[in-house]
Amino acid sequence: FQYLKRFDQGCDLDAFWYEELSVEGSPAECLQLFLLHCGVVDPSWAELRNFTWFLNIQLRDCEASVFCNPDFVQDTLKS
């Protein structure tokens, strides 16, 4: 949710790291963002769960990778 919220706000996600146990927004705002970004017009709860599970795994792996760490890579590929 925190990544999707910042993505919608146009924030630089390279500089953001999830803080465990931190809480942002309301459950309604969270559900609204998941519905907006899951890619299915009328998703079931199972589809929403799979979307959030997959996104969470991808973001966790990205944060753990040195190749996605802008301090290590020092190449943002921005023009």
Side-chain angles (χ1 to χ4, degrees), residues 8-53:
D8 278 355
Q9 294 170 346
C11 296
D12 180 14
L13 297 177
D14 290 339
F16 175 72
W17 293 90
Y18 169 73
E19 292 183 37
E20 191 172 347
L21 303 177
S22 63
V23 177
E24 292 182 16
S26 68
E29 184 182 11
C30 181
L31 181 58
Q32 183 180 14
L33 274 179
F34 289 159
L35 289 169
L36 181 66
H37 289 282
C38 78
V40 178
V41 175
D42 188 17
S44 66
W45 285 110
E47 289 168 324
L48 281 176
R49 185 222 173 263
N50 289 338
F51 168 70
T52 57
W53 175 78

Side-chain angles (χ1 to χ4, degrees), residues 62-75:
C62 180
E63 284 187 351
S65 172
V66 295
F67 298 106
C68 296
N69 184 336
D71 295 330
F72 176 77
V73 176
Q74 295 189 8
D75 181 8

